[in-house]
Amino acid sequence: MALSKPKPKRLYQVWKGSNRFCCGGRMIFGPDVGSLFLSTLLIGVPALVFCSQVLKKIERHDPCLGYPVLAVALAITILDLVFLFMTSGRDPGIVPRNLKPPDSEDGLDATTPSMEWVNGRTPHLKLPRTKDVLVNGHSVRVKFCDTCLLYRPPRASHCSICNNCVQRFDHHCPWVGQCIGIRNYRFFFLFILFSTFLCIYVFVFSWINILEQKNEDTLRKTLSREVLSVILIVYCFIAVWFVGGLTVFHSYLICTNQTTYENFRYRYDKNENPHNRGMLANIKKIFFSKMPPSLNNFRELVVEEDHSEDRPITPTAGGNVTSSKERIIDIEMTSKLGEDARNLTLPEILQNLDYTDIDDDMKRKDSDMKGLMKAITLIELCLQLFHHSCW
């Protein structure tokens, strides 16, 4: 009976990362998407309370000033929420994974001498842990990702939360539940910018409302009567330090063409930033350049690969993991020697064994898995031969 072929599935249905998808793969979120709803409430609830306060003032006072205040508040709130969802619900710039490691020739042609090597799934495949690439005439070192099986592009990094390599990785934002990368950074900045505007706007007009009421009564009575305005003032005063500080910090990063990841690692304190092209050019690149297309089509039909083939490779120091074929050969040789051992004494058998490979492995500073497997095989062989010679 012929085996049935696996049924093709959408790419988002067999995605190896920790992302969550919506609308049939058209929207992609991070694993902590629940924080998106929390952020929506933190923005929407105070804004609705403020708008309700404005509506009450419109009914009792001249509506000519109240309606523009209400319209601006609604516009800022809607834009802020739109930028929030555009940041959280799109591909931040995920680099597609490789199904197998790159060819060893690609790794050995690297110009960076590396004492640390990566073992591939194929026996005897050695790849350098890092290699150098040229960016705007500057040499930049890139690292090999054990999970995605690729050399990360310059400025890319692997997010441990989303389990993806992201182009121009800035950080993973818990408030939007998504990585911030090359395809959603401008929306993230606009989100925190409009959040700052909204906090200042509500703060100022809440104070104006209290000061207007103060003319009719004392300040203490006014504050006791306008409880919602007092709560909005305190809330916005606390929030503006957070979102305002983020806005100022990311304005500096944009002007110098840095990422949060690079800045926190002091990447350009001693070395020149190869991506910096001047303040105006950096701002133009972030806000007025064409958005790069996604490298993944999450709705394309793919055949699901064997999950055992997608395990991360284990970094070692110059050795290879023993393959299943080599283990079978070792077992067959052990059985063969065990049958012939009845005609030999134990000292003769031990003298005929080849200890060269084991000696070389034991001399290495970091013994690899292959040396350990050979040592275990030798011990089992000696015990088996001793058993046969005794009988």
Side-chain angles (χ1 to χ4, degrees), residues 74-95:
L74 288 175
I76 297 177
T77 303
I78 293 173
L79 286 174
D80 197 21
L81 292 177
V82 167
F83 290 133
L84 171 62
F85 280 89
M86 291 184 69
T87 303
S88 181
R90 66 186 293 119
D91 177 9
I94 298 175
V95 182

Side-chain angles (χ1 to χ4, degrees), residues 268-283:
Y268 304 125
D269 280 3
K270 296 181 179 179
N271 301 323
E272 183 181 358
N273 184 358
H275 310 285
N276 190 0
R277 286 293 177 264
M279 185 175 67
L280 294 179
N282 295 336
I283 295 175

Side-chain angles (χ1 to χ4, degrees), residues 214-274:
K214 180 179 175 296
N215 296 330
E216 302 175 1
D217 211 336
T218 62
L219 180 61
R220 179 177 296 182
K221 291 184 178 180
T222 303
L223 293 177
S224 62
R225 189 170 58 251
E226 297 292 335
V227 178
L228 291 179
S229 295
V230 174
I231 294 175
L232 289 175
I233 289 173
V234 175
Y235 178 83
C236 292
F237 179 79
I238 296 174
V240 76
W241 288 102
F242 176 69
V243 293
L246 278 177
T247 303
V248 173
F249 175 67
H250 281 278
S251 298
Y252 163 74
L253 294 181
I254 291 173
C255 293
T256 57
N257 204 338
Q258 296 185 61
T259 64
T260 303
Y261 183 81
E262 294 167 347
N263 184 268
F264 280 13
R265 288 178 170 261
Y266 305 100
R267 187 69 58 85
Y268 304 125
D269 280 3
K270 296 181 179 179
N271 301 323
E272 183 181 358
N273 184 358

Side-chain angles (χ1 to χ4, degrees), residues 106-107 110-114 116 118 127-135 138-145 150-157 165 262 267 274-275:
D106 297 339
T111 59
T112 303
S114 177
E116 188 178 5
V118 177
L127 295 171
R129 171 65 59 182
T130 62
K131 69 176 183 178
D132 290 344
V133 296
L134 290 178
V135 177
H138 295 78
S139 179
V140 176
R141 180 166 297 183
V142 296
K143 294 182 179 180
F144 185 84
C145 180
L150 51 83
Y151 284 101
R152 300 168 187 161
R155 312 191 84 179
S157 184
C165 281
E262 294 167 347
R267 187 69 58 85
H275 310 285

Side-chain angles (χ1 to χ4, degrees), residues 22 43 131 167 215-216 236 291-292 350 389:
C22 183
I43 296 171
K131 69 176 183 178
Q167 294 177 296
N215 296 330
E216 302 175 1
C236 292
M291 182 71 68
L350 295 176
S389 62

Side-chain angles (χ1 to χ4, degrees), residues 40-303:
T40 304
L41 291 176
L42 292 175
I43 296 171
V45 172
L48 290 177
V49 172
F50 175 76
C51 292
S52 65
Q53 289 287 95
V54 175
L55 284 174
K56 290 181 180 180
K57 302 306 175 184
I58 290 176
E59 295 176 357
R60 290 184 292 178
H61 297 79
D62 185 11
C64 295
L65 181 61
Y67 283 117
V69 173
L70 178 63
V72 172
L74 288 175
I76 297 177
T77 303
I78 293 173
L79 286 174
D80 197 21
L81 292 177
V82 167
F83 290 133
L84 171 62
F85 280 89
M86 291 184 69
T87 303
S88 181
R90 66 186 293 119
D91 177 9
I94 298 175
V95 182
R97 301 188 183 199
N98 286 335
L99 297 179
K100 60 180 181 179
D103 295 335
S104 59
E105 291 79 6
D106 297 339
L108 295 177
D109 288 341
T111 59
T112 303
S114 177
M115 298 302 294
E116 188 178 5
W117 297 81
V118 177
N119 275 359
R121 298 184 185 122
T122 306
H124 312 299
L125 175 64
K126 295 174 65 177
L127 295 171
R129 171 65 59 182
T130 62
K131 69 176 183 178
D132 290 344
V133 296
L134 290 178
V135 177
N136 297 326
H138 295 78
S139 179
V140 176
R141 180 166 297 183
V142 296
K143 294 182 179 180
F144 185 84
C145 180
D146 298 320
T147 303
C148 299
L149 301 180
L150 51 83
Y151 284 101
R152 300 168 187 161
R155 312 191 84 179
S157 184
H158 190 89
C159 175
S160 60
I161 300 176
C162 293
N163 197 23
N164 297 311
C165 281
V166 179
Q167 294 177 296
R168 200 187 182 276
F169 178 76
D170 191 87
H171 69 288
H172 182 93
C173 181
W175 296 102
V176 302
Q178 180 65 285
C179 289
I180 307 302
I182 192 172
R183 299 191 70 249
N184 64 350
Y185 182 78
R186 69 177 63 174
F187 302 116
F188 169 76
F189 180 81
L190 292 174
F191 159 63
I192 60 175
L193 180 64
F194 275 85
S195 297
T196 304
F197 287 161
L198 185 60
C199 287
I200 296 175
Y201 189 83
V202 173
F203 180 85
V204 170
F205 279 96
S206 295
W207 264 117
I208 292 175
N209 177 44
I210 292 177
L211 293 177
E212 286 182 351
Q213 300 297 325
K214 180 179 175 296
N215 296 330
E216 302 175 1
D217 211 336
T218 62
L219 180 61
R220 179 177 296 182
K221 291 184 178 180
T222 303
L223 293 177
S224 62
R225 189 170 58 251
E226 297 292 335
V227 178
L228 291 179
S229 295
V230 174
I231 294 175
L232 289 175
I233 289 173
V234 175
Y235 178 83
C236 292
F237 179 79
I238 296 174
V240 76
W241 288 102
F242 176 69
V243 293
L246 278 177
T247 303
V248 173
F249 175 67
H250 281 278
S251 298
Y252 163 74
L253 294 181
I254 291 173
C255 293
T256 57
N257 204 338
Q258 296 185 61
T259 64
T260 303
Y261 183 81
E262 294 167 347
N263 184 268
F264 280 13
R265 288 178 170 261
Y266 305 100
R267 187 69 58 85
Y268 304 125
D269 280 3
K270 296 181 179 179
N271 301 323
E272 183 181 358
N273 184 358
H275 310 285
N276 190 0
R277 286 293 177 264
M279 185 175 67
L280 294 179
N282 295 336
I283 295 175
K284 180 180 178 181
K285 183 176 180 61
I286 294 295
F287 295 106
F288 303 103
S289 62
K290 184 179 179 181
M291 182 71 68
S294 175
L295 301 179
N296 303 278
N297 181 8
F298 297 107
R299 289 185 51 77
E300 68 175 340
L301 293 174
V302 295
V303 178

